[in-house]
Amino acid sequence: MRVLGVDPGLTRCGVGVVEGVAGRPLTMLGVGVVRTAVDADLSHRLLAVEQGIEQWLDEHRPEVVAVERVFSQHNVRTVMGTAQASAVAMLCAARRGIPVALHTPSEVKAAVTGTGRADKAQVGAMVTRLLRLSAPPRPADAADALALAICHIWRAPAQNRLQQAVARHTVNATKGRTA
């Protein structure tokens, strides 16, 4: 499975591509950051994020795009920018028919470090170790994007089994009502 992880942000939108399957060594195919100027008009910043993500999609052809689920923060301005960048990433994927998976920051941290309360340094260290890199990706947004991709690769099999079980239960429950 090839996953493009997106750590959404207006100033720095982390992007990283990881390939592999759960239970096997993973391979990083690319990592970077889509940057926008803080003083640029919001519409131009969103356009720059869109163009950057489109380039990553063109170059790496992921099967899934994993995006960090926006969570409530005290700074409304920050959460709005994050939500807008997140929406751009989801739109780019949807336009191409690529499935989008959303993961919360605590899910990602727990998947790669074993604790949902890990700090950025711990996430960076584990991403470095799991992908056999010589140094942690910088800035932290890039490491977070790789962590999102890793999280999705590891969680997807269990999520798929759960979705299939729910679908079977729904079908069986529906059959029981119509019989």
Side-chain angles (χ1 to χ4, degrees):
M1 175 185 313
R2 183 177 291 191
V3 179
L4 170 65
V6 178
D7 181 38
L10 274 181
T11 304
R12 289 181 319 272
C13 182
V15 287
V17 181
V18 176
E19 189 169 63
V21 295
R24 303 258 188 214
L26 303 173
T27 304
M28 180 189 77
L29 301 179
V31 66
V33 176
V34 176
R35 296 179 187 272
T36 69
V38 177
D39 59 347
D41 181 65
L42 175 61
S43 60
H44 290 100
R45 294 178 81 185
L46 292 171
L47 181 61
V49 170
E50 187 248 358
Q51 290 169 340
I53 290 172
E54 288 289 350
Q55 287 176 344
W56 279 82
L57 292 172
D58 285 342
E59 183 177 342
H60 294 283
R61 305 256 182 244
E63 299 165 58
V64 178
V65 174
V67 181
E68 183 175 274
R69 183 183 301 271
V70 178
F71 62 99
S72 177
Q73 296 175 337
H74 298 295
N75 186 337
V76 174
R77 188 173 176 183
T78 300
V79 79
M80 287 299 296
T82 303
Q84 291 164 332
S86 177
V88 168
M90 290 187 280
L91 175 69
C92 290
R95 186 183 296 139
R96 293 168 182 246
I98 301 171
V100 174
L102 299 174
H103 299 284
T104 66
S106 58
E107 287 173 341
V108 174
K109 291 173 184 179
V112 299
T113 71
T115 177
R117 295 180 180 218
D119 63 24
K120 290 221 179 257
Q122 290 171 303
V123 171
M126 285 306 296
V127 165
T128 302
R129 188 179 208 182
L130 294 168
L131 297 174
R132 301 168 313 282
L133 305 175
S134 59
R138 297 278 179 232
D141 309 271
D144 289 349
L146 291 171
L148 276 152
I150 292 167
C151 173
H152 185 74
I153 290 169
W154 286 355
R155 292 176 58 98
Q159 288 174 331
N160 290 341
R161 285 192 302 275
L162 182 60
Q163 289 171 348
Q164 289 169 356
V166 168
R168 281 192 305 274
H169 174 75
T170 303
V171 167
N172 290 338
T174 303
K175 285 180 183 178
R177 279 190 254 144
T178 59

